[in-house]
Amino acid sequence: MPYLVLKDINKIYPNGFHAVHDFNLEIEKGEFIVFVGSSGCGKSTTLRMIAGLEDISKGDFLIDGQRANEKGPRDRGVAMVFQSYALYPQMTVYDNLAFGLTLEGIDEDIIEEKVKNVAKILGLTDYLDRLPKALSGGQRQRVAVGRAIIRKVGIFLMDEPLSNLDAKQRVTMRSEITEIHRKTGATTIYVTHDQTEAMTMADRIVVMKEGYIQQVGTPYELYFNPVNVFVAGFIGEPPMNFVRSTLKNGKIMVGKNEIDLTKKMKAADIKKYEGKELVFGFRPEAISLGAGDGYVIKAEVELTELLGDNTNVYVDIQGDKSILKVNPHDTPEMDSEIVFTIPLESVYIFDNETEKVIK
Ligand code: ADP
């Protein structure tokens, strides 16, 4: 039995705004789940319904097989880390960490042991006497995480916990949170708009858009088998290239390059989509320079950006713009004509009307 079940969950705010539609998800004990999507897509609302901070308008939420819709936050066994760390400014790190346990009336000795243990895991041992204002952003964030993990809870909820940190601290905290999850094994739901955080931390990712789940899957599944244009364009940096073109006699045009889709699509689909607009997608990193095995495309180089580990090449495929990622040693000249190859298995075809992938 899954540990958490969200069944047809909906949120309609008092002002009538329908923020979350028919959200269905089952979460196994110990999983690290990431909700990802642009701002306003309903991630926090869903997380807050799980935490018990927002009513569930419609649907069922089960913890360990028991309906939990009506349970208060304290009875759900959840701990939450917010974007604003919400530390008590007048309390030392020690007291911030101990606060929840003190409220629960736990023995001082046991509290001390737990605080020291958590401080050790989080590298805060030398800062226990400090006030939050005397800590860096990353250290404050660690205290906030520590305050959540110090209590024995089954569910750990995090709402954009790294967004107040600089890029370097985010990378460090990302691996620290993954490490803490590995050590504690707590079921974790993590909200972010950052696809890199989602890809690097999640066991499974839930991609949301405008209140609807788009796809649920492992990072690998989302990257290699996106179900629609939105997910394909959301995961990956630079994003997948898309070229829209009408299917005529089994062929589409990518710029002035004729692409024979009978090599890629099922015969039944070729028939079904004849005369319809399709979306031809390929990832910047999936190509190789030169003519090889696959779809060979001619393009003009508009701009190159050497990033060190690779070069981003902005090309014009006779009207359609795309980005290619190439080895920096193979960086082509600006304004030159190049030829590149996309292997057939790296091409994605979508229905332009429904935006769904055509397998
Ligand atoms: P996310 O976390 O993905 O950025 P939210 O869950 O915070 O998105 O918000 C989802 C949508 O619900 C947004 O359009 C937001 O404006 C709206 N919303 C959030 N809180 C309320 C509220 N209390 N009343 C009405 N609408 C709200």
Side-chain angles (χ1 to χ4, degrees), residues 37-43 160 193:
S38 334
S39 178
C41 71
K43 306 179 296 289
E160 305 247 1
H193 62 269

Side-chain angles (χ1 to χ4, degrees), residues 8-44:
D8 297 327
I9 297 280
N10 281 265
K11 178 66 187 181
I12 301 158
Y13 278 110
N15 68 356
F17 185 73
H18 199 152
V20 177
H21 299 257
D22 302 328
F23 191 103
N24 282 294
L25 184 67
E26 294 187 346
I27 301 174
E28 298 297 332
K29 206 166 198 142
E31 264 196 296
F32 197 118
I33 299 286
V34 176
F35 295 170
V36 72
S38 334
S39 178
C41 71
K43 306 179 296 289
S44 294

